[in-house]
Amino acid sequence: MKSIYPEIATLLLELEGELRRLGEWQAEPPSAEALASTQPFCVDTLSLPQWLQFVFLPRMRQLVESELPLPAKCGIAPMAEEFFRGSDLPAQGLVSKLLAIDECLERGY
């Protein structure tokens, strides 16, 4: 059975690239208080791009690097579609990467 860890690792790198391409990559992290939100996706303290950069990517990278169990489902692509709806940013590449991550996780090993 083929491991999906390498594929997920590549998709995470590509997701970072899309955030950078859109100008949504930040040099400085949000405050510790903002990151400590108990709301799903930190919706009360972070934008979706911030959540992807400072919460999702680090957590997923840690799981991949340690070969720990990955979530069976993420469902982030629909959130990204909604977040960028009406935006001037060409975010289809970012949404596509999130969809690929969602599909890979759902497919599993």
Side-chain angles (χ1 to χ4, degrees):
M1 199 177 307
K2 181 184 170 199
S3 170
I4 64 168
Y5 290 106
E7 185 177 355
I8 292 292
T10 298
L11 289 168
L12 294 174
L13 284 172
E14 292 172 356
L15 177 60
E16 178 181 332
E18 284 298 316
L19 286 167
R20 289 178 183 276
R21 183 184 67 77
L22 291 172
E24 293 290 327
W25 193 261
Q26 296 181 346
E28 296 296 320
S31 69
E33 294 81 21
L35 291 170
S37 169
T38 58
Q39 295 294 311
F41 307 102
C42 300
V43 296
D44 59 335
T45 58
L46 302 177
S47 68
L48 180 66
Q50 287 174 317
W51 180 82
L52 290 169
Q53 179 182 351
F54 296 107
V55 178
F56 179 74
L57 283 171
R59 285 184 186 168
M60 288 297 291
R61 285 180 176 142
Q62 182 180 26
L63 294 175
V64 168
E65 289 168 8
S66 301
E67 293 191 5
L68 293 170
L70 297 168
K73 222 175 207 188
C74 275
I76 301 170
M79 288 191 57
E81 287 175 336
E82 187 61 32
F83 179 83
F84 288 106
R85 187 181 316 270
S87 169
D88 292 337
L89 291 176
Q92 189 51 43
L94 179 98
V95 172
S96 293
K97 294 299 172 202
L98 289 169
L99 184 58
I101 291 169
D102 288 345
E103 290 172 347
C104 187
L105 291 172
E106 286 178 26
R107 187 175 64 244
Y109 304 95

